[in-house]
Amino acid sequence: MDRSSETLDSIREINLSYLMLAQRMLREDKPVGMFRLGLSSELADLLSGLSLAQIVKLATSDQLLCLFRFDDHAMLSALTQTTRHADVAATHAAILLAGQPAVQFA
């Protein structure tokens, strides 16, 4: 198996894991799941309603379906810096994430 094929297999595994986790989070507690995933209500409804066959089909994409939400230095630093006050760092990161818009359909 060549590197390109291994990379595509890894992307598909990540996609499947992400979709299954997202669906579980949304079904258990939709508002919290939406916040943690950064999703709009419409997208959350769509994801939580997918059948297993639809999830598997969607996961086979060669593009990552999850989004790296830490797109600025302040957010990433808040999560990676060692601090004696870990609870404050987690709260700071949650505040920064709450300021980001939810992902919606274009």
Side-chain angles (χ1 to χ4, degrees):
M1 184 180 290
D2 65 3
R3 283 191 175 270
S4 178
S5 182
E6 286 179 22
T7 299
L8 289 175
D9 286 346
S10 294
I11 288 172
R12 292 176 182 131
E13 286 177 33
I14 290 168
N15 285 343
L16 183 59
S17 295
Y18 173 75
L19 290 168
M20 292 177 70
L21 174 63
Q23 192 172 63
R24 187 177 77 225
M25 290 170 62
L26 293 167
R27 287 179 175 170
E28 287 175 359
D29 190 334
K30 183 180 174 185
V32 171
M34 287 172 50
F35 172 74
R36 289 186 175 159
L37 296 166
L39 300 177
S40 68
S41 182
E42 294 81 14
L43 194 50
D45 289 342
L46 179 69
L47 283 173
S48 63
L50 291 175
S51 69
L52 181 58
Q54 290 171 314
I55 286 175
V56 170
K57 183 177 180 179
L58 189 55
T60 62
S61 170
D62 61 356
Q63 301 295 314
L64 279 174
L65 300 177
C66 54
L67 176 67
F68 192 66
R69 294 181 63 202
F70 308 111
D71 60 355
D72 71 29
H73 182 268
M75 230 182 291
L76 198 52
S77 292
L79 293 172
T80 59
Q81 290 181 355
T82 305
T83 177
R84 288 181 287 177
H85 305 289
D87 55 335
V88 174
T91 301
H92 183 232
I95 291 168
L96 291 171
L97 285 171
Q100 288 190 332
V103 177
Q104 299 186 36
F105 290 114

